Amino acid sequence: MGFLAGKRALITGIASDRSIAYGIAAAMHREGAELAFTYQNDKLKSRVEKTAAAFGSSIVIHCDVATDESIEAAFTELGTHWDGLDIVVHSIAFAPKEQLSGSIVDNTTREGSQIAHDISAYSFLALARYAKPMMAGRNGSLLALSYLGAIAAIPNYNVMGMAKASLEASVRFMAADLGPQGIRVNAISAGPIRTLAAAGISGFKKMLDFFEKYAPLRRNVTIEEVGNTAAFLCSDLASGITGEITYVDGGWNILG
Ligand code: 0WD
């Protein structure tokens, strides 16, 4: 029996089978969790349906985290399938592409900053608010995905670094807020992985090469490795861990 047997997990942020959320879904499925999925728009619907089917799920729900209405409707729909929820995975980020290169001071617009923070940071808190009633009394777990740009000035990551810093602060505040109700809140800070979202960051290929050359493990990490860590953090094996940012980056963040 897997270590997530009996757990129900809602997975957001699948855009392809290269998505980090796909690796997380695979690991959670392997460990015995029941899964439900959200998709952002009609373009992604059939792809997410296929993924869901591959992991034995038929629960595929629309959720664009840009609006509270969409989030609320998604949890209402989830409630028609499940009477409780143990895990929510937030694997979502977005900033307009032109915000992710060059001078942060010259290029970051007020609107670009608002969008990046809204979709990439605030939405984690918004998901938690609507998930909370379904998670009551179940030792639930919320998980978000972050990146080193939250704490270091990585070239071109720019406004997304600001948003990830906000996301990591949210993890700590949410953990303090929800801990008394038995809900844990954590994030994984993953090393660079070639996904659709990553393609929007200029110089990304160079970053992958750099990691391979200099990270302590001398290679890049995989969505399977992030998935395994996510499964652990959201399981009862990690019952004493909350408010933490766990690095799955081949050790890159320890380098001076
Ligand atoms: O190197 C990487 N790929 C890293 C990614 C390193 C460290 C962290 N991360 C983070 C990302 O910042 C993000 O938070 O992992 C998370 C997942 O990213 P991913 O797996 O790299 O990217 P992708 O496969 O593109 O999935 C992200 C998805 C979106 O995909 P696209 O490419 O279509 O923008 O986030 C979803 C969307 O499906 N998304 C939304 N979902 C609901 N509502 C929204 C939205 N408004 N906006 C984007």
Side-chain angles (χ1 to χ4, degrees):
M1 205 168 71
F3 60 71
L4 287 174
K7 299 275 190 196
R8 287 172 165 168
L10 179 67
I11 311 284
T12 68
I14 289 195
S16 77
D17 58 9
R18 292 178 159 212
S19 293
I20 291 175
Y22 188 97
I24 294 174
M28 290 190 172
H29 173 67
R30 185 194 68 222
E31 294 305 330
E34 252 186 281
L35 305 181
F37 295 84
T38 66
Y39 63 93
Q40 182 195 352
N41 53 40
D42 285 342
K43 218 176 70 197
L44 293 172
K45 186 179 181 192
S46 64
R47 215 178 288 173
V48 177
E49 279 172 345
K50 244 172 74 189
T51 300
F55 296 128
S57 170
S58 57
I59 308 177
V60 178
I61 298 169
H62 175 253
C63 183
D64 182 339
V65 298
T67 73
D68 281 349
E69 291 70 29
S70 181
I71 297 173
E72 187 174 15
F75 280 98
T76 302
E77 191 177 336
L78 186 65
T80 66
H81 299 280
W82 288 348
D83 57 3
L85 176 65
D86 303 290
I87 295 166
V88 177
V89 175
H90 177 283
S91 190
I92 291 170
F94 179 77
K97 192 169 171 12
E98 74 280 359
Q99 305 284 298
L100 298 175
S101 63
S103 161
I104 187 170
V105 174
D106 292 341
N107 294 354
T108 308
T109 62
R110 193 176 293 272
E111 198 199 353
S113 170
Q114 279 167 352
I115 293 171
H117 282 82
D118 186 32
I119 304 301
S120 315
Y122 176 77
S123 67
F124 184 44
L125 191 149
L127 283 183
R129 180 178 305 141
Y130 291 101
K132 199 170 74 158
M134 285 187 78
M135 297 179 87
R138 299 173 66 103
N139 297 327
S141 181
L142 304 166
L143 184 78
L145 273 302
S146 191
Y147 180 58
L148 188 62
I151 60 161
I154 310 273
N156 300 318
Y157 203 60
N158 294 3
V159 73
M160 190 55 86
M162 295 158 62
K164 291 298 191 191
S166 167
L167 178 69
E168 292 190 3
S170 309
V171 166
R172 291 183 284 272
F173 277 95
M174 289 162 63
D177 186 18
L178 298 176
Q181 294 158 62
I183 299 175
R184 298 181 298 107
V185 187
N186 290 292
I188 291 173
S189 184
I193 298 175
R194 197 191 303 274
T195 63
L196 292 174
I201 302 161
S202 84
F204 188 77
K205 166 83 175 74
K206 232 190 244 163
M207 201 149 63
L208 283 173
D209 294 345
F210 231 71
F211 261 67
E212 208 171 298
K213 211 160 161 197
Y214 298 114
L217 292 183
R218 297 288 190 274
R219 62 174 176 81
N220 283 291
V221 295
T222 64
I223 61 171
E224 288 77 19
E225 290 174 313
V226 177
N228 286 336
T229 306
F232 161 70
L233 283 173
C234 293
S235 78
D236 293 339
L237 294 174
S239 55
I241 302 175
T242 195
E244 288 295 330
I245 314 299
T246 300
Y247 287 84
V248 181
D249 66 348
W252 178 270
N253 75 94
I254 65 164
L255 298 177

